[in-house]
Amino acid sequence: MIPTEESSGRKRAIEEKLKQEEETLNFIRESLDKSDQLTNNMVSILSSFESRLMKLENSIIPVHKQTETLQRLQENVERTLSCLDHVISYYHVATETERVIREGPSGRLEEYLNCIAKIQKAVEYFQDNNPDSPELNRVKSLFERGKESLDTEFRSLLQRHSKPVPPILILDLIGSDEEIEGQEDGVIEHLPEGILQDVIRISQWLVEYGRNQDFMTVYYQIRSSQLDRSLKGLKEHFRKNSSSSVPYSPAVQNKRKDTPTKKPVKRPVFIPGTIRKAQNLLKQYSQHGLDGKKGGSGLGVLEGHEQDSRGRYHGEAMGDKHGPASGKEDMLDLEIDTYVYCISAFVRLAQSEYLLLMDIIPEHHQKKTFDSLIQESLDNLILEGENIVLAAKKANSRHDFTSVLSIFPILRHLKLTKPDFDKVLQGTAASTKNKLPNIITSIETTGAKALEDFADSIKNDPDKENSMSKDGTVHELTSNAILFLQQLLEFQETAGAMLASQETSSTASTYSTEFNRRLLSTYICKVLGNLQLKLLSKSKVYEDLALGAIFLHNNYNYILKSLEKSELMQLVAVTLKNPGRQYQELIEQQIKIYKHSWLRVTDHVCVQNMPLLQGPKLKDKERQMIKERFKGFNDGLEEICKIQKSWAIPDKRQREHIRQQQRSFVQEAYGTFLLKYGTGVNFTKNPDKYIKYSVEQVGAMIDRLFDTSA
């Protein structure tokens, strides 16, 4: 078979490809040979490097070990030298610090405390390592001396910088409104800030390192003295400024004037001169009369005055047998005001002392130290209260009930201040906490007894003729009773609580406010009831029933007007239904009795008592009867007007009312008789002898009744 051209070309291609493959194979073989050669060379180099490293390590490691040993030796030497220096320094502590300890901590407290710290460490070192060393005794001595110096410095700082709080600042504090002004206004700076920090640092050191609690005793003794001096300073301020009703500082006065729209102060504010207030109120009634105009008034009966013929008093009053007692009352009010302000001052100052104490005294000693701190001032305060209670008891035994009222504002203020007291005394001993409740209970018992004794004194007042006025005006007993009840209006809650304190009913605690009000109302009604019975008894001293009626009229009218012009009427109405009408009926009843006294005059001119005339010409018997009637009327009119002119009806409206009624009654009877038997009948040749007065003249004479100036 003959090869074709195509097969020849394929053959050549295969041969060329084979040739290329052989060349590639040769190249790969050559590359592998070179790689093997390089590998052998690298292995040879690494083997040589490893051999050299082994030789280097064998030569370096011994040197390194020797260096480490040398370094440890050097460090040991350095530590040994440092320890030696530290130990040696303890032997120099006494020498280095002795001058500072000897000079004391004054003016350089931090430096002094640092020295004390060094000495303390030296003491600890010698005790642990060389207890037989003489240096131990030396540093111990220095430490004790340093501790004593700190004790002395603590006392000195407190004594030099503790000052009594000025009275003006105390009054500012009492008068400040905490809710409005904030707590910052209520903080007193007892010690300058720098001094306070020094005192705190010393106390902390004494507790932590000095193991000493004596400084706490020093602290409460000094601060207790300052608290007591602050309160005494306030009392002295009141004595020096006794002419001022409320000796507030100008700051408080201006604050109150400038902030009229602020809400009331949360803390109770006492209004001084409460006892005088009711008396002044009654004096105003005295000056302007019961009808609100100037003139005589049954309310003119006041303490320190005795009645004259117009219803005014000139002599002794209940509880004061020495005439006007304004000086005594002023002293009493000053004593009350001072004590009440001291109560509030004690609370605020004690609060301030506790805030100071919290920074200085350790927490677990604070309550006990505070208890000791306030004890003297609190005891003095309670003692003063007990003295006031004792004085009230003595006054009560003398029936000086006005003086007894001095305990009412005190009791009211103590009760209002009690929550603050309880808060301040929280954590103190039970005996301390119970002091205020005990004095409150004592005052309540004394006050309740005084109230009951006053009611009994009304009932048991003796019916003496020389105690009765000749003009039938308001009795001293009535004026004093009303004055006393008027003063109770200032202390309604207090008086009610006093009475409730003597009750055993559980209702008292359930409905306290309403229950107290009802008790007070019942008490006032009891006093008024006793007064009414006693006045009725006293009226019988008068031989003239008409004068007795005028006497009762004046007293009942006085009581009624007094009730109407005060809150007494509302209080009485709690127990009695329409008390005003009851008194009005009593007044009208006495007016009727008084009118009856005129029957002995008007009976002479009563036409019903005259027989019928027989013909135009009178018989001698008839003429004589008419003469006797006119003469009896004239004599009776003159006599009764002469007598009753000196009687008194201080109330202008009542006076005019009685005159008008009597005038109408007498003029009508006399006018009718005169018309029938006087002008139209010829019963005498000398009519002027029997017809002495015209109807108008009779009215004018009656208009001059109850008027000593006529």
Side-chain angles (χ1 to χ4, degrees):
M1 180 175 158
I2 299 174
T4 60
E5 184 178 350
E6 182 179 356
S7 58
S8 297
R10 188 180 305 121
K11 183 179 179 182
R12 284 195 298 274
I14 293 171
E15 290 176 352
E16 290 177 0
K17 188 176 182 180
L18 181 61
K19 185 177 180 180
Q20 291 176 355
E21 293 293 337
E22 289 177 351
E23 291 176 355
T24 301
L25 182 60
N26 291 330
F27 177 75
I28 291 172
R29 287 175 178 168
E30 291 176 359
S31 297
L32 288 172
D33 291 338
K34 290 181 179 180
S35 177
D36 291 338
Q37 186 177 357
L38 290 173
T39 298
N40 293 331
N41 291 336
M42 180 59 67
V43 169
S44 175
I45 292 171
L46 290 174
S47 298
S48 175
F49 185 70
E50 182 180 6
S51 174
R52 293 179 179 180
L53 283 176
M54 290 289 290
K55 292 179 180 180
L56 180 61
E57 181 179 357
N58 292 332
S59 60
I60 289 298
I61 286 177
V63 174
H64 177 69
K65 289 181 179 180
Q66 291 177 358
T67 303
E68 283 183 343
T69 302
L70 291 174
Q71 287 177 343
R72 281 195 298 272
L73 291 174
Q74 183 180 3
E75 290 174 359
N76 290 336
V77 170
E78 291 176 352
R79 280 197 296 271
T80 301
L81 291 174
S82 176
C83 289
L84 287 173
D85 290 339
H86 181 68
V87 170
I88 292 172
S89 69
Y90 289 129
Y91 287 87
H92 295 291
V93 165
T95 302
E96 294 173 353
T97 61
E98 186 174 11
R99 181 183 60 83
V100 176
I101 298 301
R102 183 176 62 252
E103 293 176 356
S106 180
R108 51 176 180 182
L109 181 60
E110 286 302 322
E111 180 185 359
Y112 192 87
L113 291 178
N114 290 334
C115 290
I116 288 286
K118 291 180 180 179
I119 295 171
Q120 185 178 11
K121 290 180 179 179
V123 171
E124 293 172 353
Y125 170 79
F126 288 119
Q127 285 178 337
D128 294 339
N129 297 281
N130 192 1
D132 297 328
S133 172
E135 286 296 324
L136 175 60
N137 294 329
R138 187 179 179 188
V139 291
K140 267 188 174 182
S141 175
L142 274 179
F143 183 80
E144 291 301 322
R145 191 191 307 174
K147 186 168 68 172
E148 291 174 1
S149 296
L150 286 175
D151 276 330
T152 303
E153 180 69 4
F154 184 85
R155 179 190 294 272
S156 176
L157 289 176
L158 283 177
Q159 287 179 333
R160 283 189 286 115
H161 298 281
S162 291
K163 306 294 181 184
V165 181
I168 297 299
L169 182 57
I170 296 176
L171 292 172
D172 287 347
L173 195 64
I174 296 173
S176 66
D177 185 347
E178 295 182 358
E179 291 185 354
I180 297 173
E181 303 296 335
Q183 293 294 334
E184 294 182 359
D185 289 345
V187 175
I188 301 176
E189 187 182 76
H190 293 287
L191 298 172
E193 182 61 28
I195 301 301
L196 175 60
Q197 295 305 318
D198 285 351
V199 171
I200 292 173
R201 290 281 287 114
I202 294 174
S203 69
Q204 290 174 343
W205 189 92
L206 290 174
V207 171
E208 186 174 357
Y209 302 108
R211 305 293 190 271
N212 183 6
Q213 297 182 6
D214 293 342
F215 77 95
M216 300 180 195
T217 302
V218 171
Y219 177 84
Y220 85 69
Q221 288 175 344
I222 294 175
R223 294 308 308 169
S224 176
S225 174
Q226 298 307 319
L227 176 59
D228 189 56
R229 289 177 61 190
S230 298
L231 292 174
K232 288 180 179 177
L234 180 63
K235 295 175 189 176
E236 184 65 26
H237 177 77
F238 270 84
R239 280 192 289 270
K240 291 181 179 179
N241 298 274
S242 58
S243 59
S244 174
S245 60
V246 184
Y248 273 128
S249 72
V252 172
Q253 292 175 338
N254 294 335
K255 182 186 298 184
R256 291 185 168 186
K257 181 185 293 185
D258 296 340
T259 56
T261 58
K262 291 182 179 181
K263 63 181 180 179
V265 179
K266 179 180 180 182
R267 186 170 304 281
V269 177
F270 172 69
I271 302 174
T274 310
I275 293 178
R276 286 198 304 265
K277 184 176 180 181
Q279 296 172 341
N280 293 335
L281 177 65
L282 296 181
K283 288 178 183 177
Q284 293 175 7
Y285 292 158
S286 162
Q287 295 168 357
H288 296 87
L290 284 171
D291 54 1
K293 301 176 182 178
K294 286 192 175 182
S297 169
L299 284 173
V301 187
L302 295 174
E303 183 175 357
H305 299 278
E306 186 175 275
Q307 292 176 337
D308 62 12
S309 60
R310 300 300 300 133
R312 291 176 290 272
Y313 272 44
H314 295 292
E316 70 180 55
M318 177 171 47
D320 188 359
K321 301 182 183 294
H322 305 285
S326 60
K328 176 183 175 183
E329 293 165 4
D330 289 342
M331 290 302 296
L332 179 62
D333 284 339
L334 176 62
E335 182 181 355
I336 296 169
D337 296 352
T338 302
Y339 186 67
V340 168
Y341 275 109
C342 284
I343 291 170
S344 295
F346 172 81
V347 173
R348 300 305 300 273
L349 291 174
Q351 289 172 340
S352 180
E353 286 291 345
Y354 191 75
L355 291 176
L356 177 67
L357 177 143
M358 288 173 64
D359 292 331
I360 299 174
I361 303 300
E363 183 176 359
H364 53 287
H365 292 286
Q366 290 174 1
K367 295 295 183 181
K368 182 178 179 181
T369 304
F370 179 70
D371 195 338
S372 301
L373 190 154
I374 64 172
Q375 206 61 229
E376 181 179 0
S377 298
L378 181 59
D379 286 343
N380 290 338
L381 201 64
I382 297 301
L383 179 60
E384 290 178 24
E386 291 173 348
N387 289 336
I388 292 174
V389 171
L390 181 60
K393 290 180 179 178
K394 292 181 179 179
N396 187 46
S397 65
R398 300 191 307 268
H399 285 192
D400 184 2
F401 298 108
T402 299
S403 296
V404 174
L405 284 171
S406 64
I407 64 176
F408 281 71
I410 294 173
L411 177 60
R412 178 172 64 181
H413 193 70
L414 281 173
K415 284 192 169 183
L416 290 173
T417 315
K418 188 176 182 299
D420 290 333
F421 251 103
D422 292 341
K423 185 176 181 181
V424 168
L425 301 182
Q426 186 178 5
T428 57
S431 58
T432 303
K433 293 178 182 177
N434 292 332
K435 287 181 179 180
L436 184 68
N438 289 342
I439 191 68
I440 288 177
T441 301
S442 178
I443 293 176
E444 281 186 331
T445 303
T446 302
K449 186 177 188 306
L451 291 176
E452 292 302 322
D453 287 351
F454 175 75
D456 292 339
S457 73
I458 299 290
K459 181 171 60 177
N460 300 324
D461 191 72
D463 297 334
K464 296 180 180 179
E465 186 175 353
N466 59 4
S467 69
M468 304 296 291
S469 61
K470 295 180 180 181
D471 55 6
T473 192
V474 179
H475 196 275
E476 179 185 9
L477 182 67
T478 304
S479 64
N480 287 330
I482 293 300
L483 174 62
F484 187 85
L485 296 179
Q486 287 275 7
Q487 293 176 59
L488 281 185
L489 289 177
E490 289 291 324
F491 315 104
Q492 295 184 40
E493 284 291 331
T494 304
M498 279 182 176
L499 296 170
S501 68
Q502 308 305 306
E503 294 288 324
T504 57
S505 171
S506 59
T507 311
S509 59
T510 307
Y511 306 101
S512 57
T513 302
E514 184 59 30
F515 182 80
N516 294 352
R517 182 175 173 82
R518 281 191 278 112
L519 279 180
L520 182 59
S521 174
T522 303
Y523 171 77
I524 293 175
C525 290
K526 177 181 178 181
V527 172
L528 294 176
N530 289 350
L531 179 60
Q532 182 178 336
L533 292 174
K534 180 49 63 175
L535 289 173
L536 186 61
S537 174
K538 287 182 179 294
S539 69
K540 296 177 182 178
V541 174
Y542 293 110
E543 295 181 0
D544 193 330
L545 294 179
L547 181 56
I550 290 296
F551 169 78
L552 290 176
H553 163 273
N554 285 332
N555 282 271
Y556 292 154
N557 185 63
Y558 175 90
I559 295 171
L560 176 60
K561 297 301 181 183
S562 300
L563 296 179
E564 290 176 342
K565 286 183 175 291
S566 67
E567 295 180 38
L568 284 173
M569 183 65 81
Q570 290 89 324
L571 275 174
V572 173
V574 174
T575 301
L576 296 180
K577 184 178 181 181
N578 202 344
R581 185 171 64 184
Q582 295 184 28
Y583 273 103
Q584 194 62 50
E585 290 174 354
L586 290 173
I587 292 170
E588 292 298 329
Q589 181 182 356
Q590 298 310 314
I591 293 176
K592 289 179 181 179
I593 296 174
Y594 165 74
K595 287 181 180 179
H596 190 75
S597 68
W598 278 82
L599 290 179
R600 68 177 184 264
V601 178
T602 58
D603 278 350
H604 291 288
V605 292
C606 181
V607 294
Q608 288 82 1
N609 297 334
M610 291 292 289
L612 293 176
L613 299 179
Q614 303 296 324
K617 188 176 180 179
L618 298 178
K619 297 178 181 180
D620 291 342
K621 182 178 180 180
E622 292 173 339
R623 282 195 295 269
Q624 185 61 33
M625 182 180 295
I626 294 174
K627 290 179 182 179
E628 290 177 356
R629 293 299 178 92
F630 272 112
K631 186 178 185 303
F633 174 80
N634 294 335
D635 292 344
L637 178 65
E638 291 170 356
E639 181 185 3
I640 201 168
C641 285
K642 180 180 179 181
I643 293 173
Q644 295 188 5
K645 184 178 66 173
S646 63
W647 295 358
I649 299 180
D651 189 327
K652 182 178 180 181
R653 292 182 180 180
Q654 286 292 315
R655 187 166 62 244
E656 293 299 328
H657 173 66
I658 293 175
R659 283 173 177 173
Q660 188 274 332
Q661 284 189 341
Q662 205 59 40
R663 182 173 60 246
S664 300
F665 171 68
V666 177
Q667 281 184 322
E668 181 181 354
Y670 181 65
T672 302
F673 187 85
L674 184 62
L675 180 63
K676 188 170 183 178
Y677 297 102
T679 57
V681 178
N682 186 14
F683 68 94
T684 181
K685 294 180 181 180
N686 189 11
D688 291 341
K689 179 180 178 181
Y690 298 99
I691 306 176
K692 296 176 65 174
Y693 304 104
S694 66
V695 175
E696 290 74 17
Q697 287 175 325
V698 171
M701 292 175 71
I702 294 175
D703 284 340
R704 289 193 292 272
L705 293 176
F706 319 115
D707 187 357
T708 55
S709 63

